[in-house]
């Protein structure tokens, strides 16, 4: 009796804890943007950057009649350049570069010189018009730093600590212009650490492996789905085809999204978030009613297609750091996800073996824990579904219908292939997928 009450109490605490988790797993704060160029020459690197003045509140610029006093702002610009050179650093290999020259100028919000590198450099060095008026925090500080370098073939990195208190809500849009080869654009979040502007293949691969591991270990919704997958199982061997099928499913949509084959629009991310919650809810219900686990790998593969869109949400922003190795980075991201899943399974499987003992053994433990997860998933479905319902729906267009038709055909082909493969496995290798679970044992 004591064991039974302890099991019920533990389930209630887990219910309360999971029920308090936020439904939006990918919420982003309000962004503030800086724009800049990094140009590599034979003997020097140039960093030209535009910073909103509201990010430089620590520097007191002189005011006159509600506007900045441009004629008297020289000392303040120098102080701002000194602060900016410390918060925005350029690195050559593992050596931080020190600027040999720094110039700056205030610019109004209407200025468009940073649409081009040469215009930006010319704007920083120009003399402002005497009639120019810039209201309080309604302008920019344009800065130009020059750094001596050892070799234009070195690996260059940039690190942004501008307004570290705002963290990732401060974005730095950098257009990298190497001496040889094609340039590219990057969007760097504040507090990201050193970002390689043109990574080697192994740097890109390691970075995306790490990103995949972090995304699994910090994504509560994906971890709950994995928990639902493994709840009925008591051994690792029957889980191998299930996890492999889930991997193949999310790899398909992940790669397709990276190559711009996914639907576009503000409606799609909240739709995917609601669909992910629905997959968790379905898996929890399937655990409760005791579905046939020999077919679980098929469901895992189909739901993996949905979760692949969720993985792509984080990958879409980070793929810019892949440099010339987009496909390698996609494969590395998938490897990182699999490593993260294995780490999660190494915790879940023994933890469930310890939990499902005594009064919680057999079907009782599966039903109680799955009911807790189903409750959480239901709340997420309602909250995320409301967000999706309030989002403007897409306009029906020819290209949009073509994208939808491709994914419908792909889904149909995946279902047919899964059904064919399932029958082939049952006929040729009946012992490959064994229903070794508490549900089967009961």
């Amino acid at each position: 009796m004591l064991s039974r009450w302890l099991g019920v109490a533990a389930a209630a605490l887990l219910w309360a804890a999971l029920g308090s988790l936020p439904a939006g797993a990918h919420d982003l704060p309000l962004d503030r943007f800086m724009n800049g160029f990094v140009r590599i020459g034979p003997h020097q690197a140039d960093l030209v950057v535009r910073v909103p003045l509201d990010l430089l509140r620590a520097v007191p610029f002189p005011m006159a009649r509600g506007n900045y006093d441009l004629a008297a702002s020289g000392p303040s610009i120098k102080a701002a350049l000194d602060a900016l050179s410390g918060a925005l650093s350029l690195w050559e290999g593992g050596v931080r570069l020190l600027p040999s020259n720094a110039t700056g100028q205030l610019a109004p919000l209407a200025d468009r010189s940073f649409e081009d590198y040469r215009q930006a450099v010319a704007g920083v060095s120009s003399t402002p018009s005497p009639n120019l008026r810039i209201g309080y925090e309604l302008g920019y500080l344009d800065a130009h730093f020059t750094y001596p370098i050892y070799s234009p073939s070195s690996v260059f990195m940039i690190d942004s600590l501008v307004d570290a208190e705002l963290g990732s809500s401060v974005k730095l849009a950098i257009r990298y212009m190497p001496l040889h080869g094609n340039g590219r654009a990057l969007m760097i979040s504040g507090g990201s650490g050193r970002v390689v502007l043109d990574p080697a293949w192994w740097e890109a691969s390691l970075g995306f492996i790490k990103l995949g591991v972090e995304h699994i270990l910090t994504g509560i919704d994906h971890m709950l789905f994995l928990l639902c997958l493994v709840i009925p199982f008591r051994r690792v061997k029957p889980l191998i085809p299930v996890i492999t099928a889930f991997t193949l499913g999310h790899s398909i949509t992940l790669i397709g999204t990276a190559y711009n084959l996914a639907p576009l629009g503000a409606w799609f991310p909240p739709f995917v978030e609601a669909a992910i919650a629905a997959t968790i809810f379905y898996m929890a219900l399937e655990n409760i009613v005791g579905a046939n686990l020999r077919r679980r790998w098929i469901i895992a593969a189909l739901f993996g297609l949905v979760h692949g869109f969720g993985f792509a949400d984080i990958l879409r922003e980070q793929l810019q750091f892949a440099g010339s190795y987009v496909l390698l980075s996609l494969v590395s991201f998938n490897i990182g996800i699999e490593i993260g899943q294995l780490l999660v399974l190494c915790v879940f499987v023994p933890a469930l073996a310890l939990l499902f003992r005594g009064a919680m053994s057999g079907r009782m433990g599966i039903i109680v824990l799955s009911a807790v997860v189903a409750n959480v998933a239901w709340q997420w479905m309602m909250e995320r579904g409301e967000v999706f319902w309030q989002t403007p729906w897409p306009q029906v267009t020819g290209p949009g219908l073509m994208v939808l038709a491709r994914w419908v055909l792909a889904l149909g082909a995946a279902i047919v292939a899964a059904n064919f493969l399932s029958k082939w496995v049952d006929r040729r290798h009946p012992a490959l997928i064994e229903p070794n679970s508490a549900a089967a044992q009961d």
Side-chain angles (χ1 to χ4, degrees):
M1 180 64 70
L2 179 59
S3 300
R4 183 173 301 174
W5 279 107
L6 288 176
V8 173
L13 288 175
L14 183 60
W15 185 309
L18 291 177
S20 63
L21 291 175
H26 306 287
D27 294 335
L28 294 177
L30 181 64
D31 293 334
R32 300 187 182 188
F33 290 93
M34 302 181 292
N35 288 288
F37 300 87
V38 174
R39 182 178 181 272
I40 306 299
H43 305 290
Q44 72 177 34
D46 293 272
L47 170 61
V48 188
V49 63
R50 165 168 281 181
V51 183
L53 288 174
D54 62 347
L55 296 179
L56 300 172
R57 294 177 180 175
V59 179
F61 287 91
M63 304 292 295
R65 298 179 181 178
N67 297 308
Y68 289 108
D69 188 348
L70 302 183
S73 60
S76 297
I77 291 178
K78 184 179 184 304
L81 291 175
D82 292 339
L84 193 58
S85 66
L88 195 60
S89 57
L90 197 64
W91 297 70
E92 183 178 6
V95 178
R96 179 172 181 173
L97 300 177
L98 299 178
S100 59
N101 186 44
T103 57
Q105 193 64 264
L106 296 184
L109 293 178
D111 185 87
R112 294 291 181 267
S113 61
F114 266 69
E115 294 178 355
D116 177 76
Y117 171 75
R118 297 184 182 277
Q119 293 181 12
V121 172
V124 175
S125 58
S126 65
T127 302
S129 169
N131 300 322
L132 181 62
R133 298 290 182 269
I134 302 177
Y136 178 68
E137 294 187 353
L138 296 178
Y140 307 102
L141 171 68
D142 294 345
H144 182 189
F145 299 97
T146 303
Y147 306 86
I149 62 175
Y150 294 101
S151 171
S153 302
S154 301
V155 176
F156 293 94
M157 296 173 284
I158 193 168
D159 190 2
S160 175
L161 294 175
V162 177
D163 205 331
E165 295 181 356
L166 295 178
S168 61
S169 64
V170 178
K171 308 284 186 181
L172 172 62
I174 281 289
R175 279 153 284 184
Y176 178 61
M177 306 167 64
L179 182 61
H180 304 291
N182 298 324
R184 61 196 191 92
L186 302 93
M187 184 71 71
I188 303 171
S189 300
S192 298
R194 299 182 206 174
V195 175
V196 181
L197 295 174
D198 193 13
W201 69 268
W202 58 271
E203 291 175 313
S205 179
L206 290 178
F208 278 87
I209 289 176
K210 178 182 177 183
L211 181 65
V213 174
E214 291 177 348
H215 187 59
I216 281 292
L217 298 183
T218 58
I220 301 299
D221 42 6
H222 302 307
M223 292 183 66
L224 278 187
F225 182 80
L226 288 175
L227 177 62
C228 284
L229 283 179
V230 305
I231 282 177
F233 294 91
R234 292 296 176 270
R235 291 172 54 195
V236 175
K237 180 181 177 181
L239 279 173
I240 295 177
V242 176
I243 300 301
T244 302
F246 178 66
T247 299
L248 292 176
H250 70 64
S251 298
I252 292 173
T253 49
L254 184 61
I255 294 175
T257 303
Y259 284 95
N260 300 318
L261 297 178
L264 300 176
W267 66 275
F268 192 61
F271 169 77
V272 171
E273 295 289 347
I276 289 175
T279 63
I280 301 172
F281 182 72
Y282 175 88
M283 294 301 300
L285 289 184
E286 190 177 71
N287 290 339
I288 293 173
V289 301
N292 183 5
L293 297 180
R294 295 177 62 88
R295 299 291 182 268
R296 171 148 292 197
W297 65 274
I298 301 178
I299 302 297
L302 296 178
F303 286 173
L305 298 173
V306 178
H307 284 253
F309 288 118
F311 295 144
D313 186 46
I314 184 73
L315 185 62
R316 186 180 294 108
E317 181 179 349
Q318 298 296 324
L319 202 59
Q320 58 181 324
F321 303 120
S324 304
Y325 308 101
V326 175
L327 184 58
L328 174 64
S329 299
L330 287 172
V331 174
S332 300
F333 184 74
N334 269 306
I335 292 174
I337 289 178
E338 300 322 305
I339 294 174
Q341 289 180 167
L342 290 176
L343 293 175
V344 171
L345 292 178
C346 289
V347 175
F348 280 169
V349 173
L352 291 174
L354 291 176
L355 178 64
F356 293 158
R357 301 174 66 181
M360 295 287 287
S361 62
R363 290 284 301 157
M364 175 60 70
I366 295 175
I367 292 174
V368 171
L369 187 56
S370 298
V372 173
V373 176
N375 172 67
V376 177
W378 176 261
Q379 296 180 23
W380 286 358
M381 282 177 55
M382 295 299 101
E383 295 174 10
R384 297 178 183 184
E386 183 177 357
V387 173
F388 168 67
W389 189 260
Q390 294 174 354
T391 305
W393 287 26
Q395 299 291 331
V396 178
T397 62
L401 290 176
M402 288 296 295
V403 171
L404 179 61
R406 289 195 195 104
W407 284 106
V408 169
L409 289 176
L411 179 61
I415 294 175
V416 172
N419 186 54
F420 174 80
L421 184 59
S422 174
K423 292 180 179 179
W424 182 83
V425 170
D426 285 344
R427 185 173 63 254
R428 302 294 294 271
H429 303 280
L432 181 61
I433 304 177
E434 49 183 291
N436 187 290
S437 64
Q441 293 169 5
D442 288 352

